[in-house]
Amino acid sequence: MNSDRGVVVERLEKSFGAVQALRGVDFSAEPGEVLGVLGPNGAGKTTTVDILATLIRPDHGRALVAGHDVVADPAAVRRRIMLTGQHAALDDMLSGYENLVMFARLMGLRKREARIRAHELLGEFDLERAAGRRVGTYSGGMRRRIDIACGLVVRPDVVFLDEPTTGLDPRSRQGVWDVVAGFKKAGITTLLTTQYLEEADALSDRIIVIDHGVVIARGTADELKARTGGSYCEVVPLELKDMPAIAAALDSLLPPENRATLTTESDRITIPAPDGARTLAEALRRLDSAGMELVDIALRRPSLDDVFLQLTGHLATTPEAVQPEVVS
């Protein structure tokens, strides 16, 4: 890969006292690629990002960001990256325009260049009307946009987005998604950690799943979903007492392992659908012939929630329930 503009991580290890946060993490991200980084709280996601952003040093291993070693040449790494965390790093007493000018000056732009760049970014992020207002009065979505804009005063080669949409309303979240799409078009490498699995599904070219400091899965969203067994049909009866009759009507479509999961508390039956719509049609024909009344019958594809549950043993934490991570 072109490591001069991408990310290469080899056998990263990091411990905090007796807690081993990273245990040999390996992955890479290409220029213009969005790599989704998923994992439960405490898995090591933020620790990985902090190492790549030179905020902490690894105990072992090697990481190159835009061609520079994060340990040997951290200053060069910082000049080539943008980092946006869960909380916007802004001066609430300054206006949006003043924050942009301040960041531009800190990045070495002359006064006139800084002012021109600030106006450009205000236009790009649809913040012109709020340019003169104190950032402390901005909504969550506006704060996130101005925070990202501040990181773009000088074009980075690599962007780290650490749960950038946590707590945002759907409209503001969509605005951040549009920004990420812009990164891809500009050839910027993006590492996205997120608690929203649909966000990773929508934005990521590839995904890695980290758990207990180890990469336990990697691939495209579709490749990871395929690991759960492909499409399936879900049958919901009108009356729970009909469950045994429905199972009997489905007969050979219901494998023994699926039949074994049915209990007196089950409210639906799931059957594999290797032939997709044909399996659904056959199930519907058999149930109709048996006179079974249904609330719903549908063909479904696995979601990243299903993948996450299968890989880690529990569902992804919902953003509203997210607590500060101790080691990641």
Side-chain angles (χ1 to χ4, degrees), residues 65-327:
V65 176
H68 300 281
D69 190 290
V70 298
V71 173
D73 198 358
V77 171
R78 292 174 196 139
R79 287 193 295 267
R80 307 283 290 276
I81 67 172
M82 184 191 91
L83 170 63
T84 295
Q86 299 173 42
H87 305 288
L90 302 165
D91 189 327
D92 286 349
M93 299 302 294
L94 297 180
S95 68
Y97 170 75
E98 290 168 336
N99 267 279
L100 284 165
V101 171
M102 177 183 69
F103 273 83
R105 294 287 286 152
L106 289 172
M107 293 297 292
L109 272 65
R110 298 179 182 273
K111 284 184 180 181
R112 183 173 179 277
E113 294 172 330
R115 291 168 182 164
I116 292 173
R117 185 60 178 147
H119 284 297
E120 290 175 348
L121 289 166
L122 287 167
E124 288 179 24
F125 284 83
D126 194 24
L127 289 167
E128 291 170 305
R129 292 183 180 179
R133 284 171 43 195
R134 287 193 304 108
V135 166
T137 69
Y138 282 16
S139 67
M142 293 169 65
R143 289 176 63 86
R144 178 59 65 221
R145 295 206 306 276
I146 194 69
D147 184 37
I148 294 175
C150 285
L152 295 175
V153 289
V154 175
R155 183 189 180 282
D157 289 318
V158 179
V159 168
F160 301 114
L161 300 178
D162 190 14
E163 299 185 19
T165 62
T166 296
L168 297 187
D169 60 79
R171 182 178 178 182
S172 298
R173 195 189 315 172
Q174 183 60 55
V176 175
W177 288 17
D178 292 342
V179 170
V180 175
F183 291 161
K184 292 177 67 170
K185 291 179 181 178
I188 296 172
T189 306
T190 305
L191 261 66
L192 170 71
T193 72
T194 178
Q195 294 284 345
Y196 295 101
L197 296 188
E198 75 274 18
E199 184 165 82
D201 201 348
L203 298 178
S204 302
D205 298 300
R206 290 187 300 120
I207 294 169
I208 62 171
V209 182
I210 298 179
D211 196 18
H212 295 95
V214 177
V215 176
I216 60 173
R218 67 185 80 215
T220 65
D222 286 342
E223 288 170 346
L224 293 180
K225 289 175 188 178
R227 295 179 57 161
T228 66
S231 299
Y232 60 94
C233 287
E234 194 171 67
V235 181
V236 183
L238 181 62
E239 299 287 346
L240 293 183
K241 64 181 177 58
D242 291 335
M243 289 287 282
I246 289 175
L250 291 172
D251 191 24
S252 59
L253 294 179
L254 185 63
E257 57 269 27
N258 292 62
R259 194 183 299 271
T261 63
L262 298 177
T263 69
T264 55
E265 297 180 353
S266 299
D267 65 350
R268 64 197 62 211
I269 293 177
T270 300
I271 61 175
D275 296 322
R278 284 197 292 265
T279 302
L280 174 64
E282 176 61 18
L284 190 57
R285 185 191 66 76
R286 294 187 185 191
L287 294 170
D288 187 53
S289 297
M292 296 291 100
E293 293 187 83
L294 307 176
V295 172
D296 185 34
I297 180 170
L299 180 66
R300 308 195 189 282
R301 293 186 63 221
S303 68
L304 279 183
D305 292 89
D306 299 320
V307 174
F308 201 92
L309 176 60
Q310 184 186 73
L311 292 173
T312 67
H314 55 81
L315 292 172
T317 306
T318 58
E320 291 74 18
V322 172
Q323 299 297 322
E325 295 186 28
V326 176
V327 298

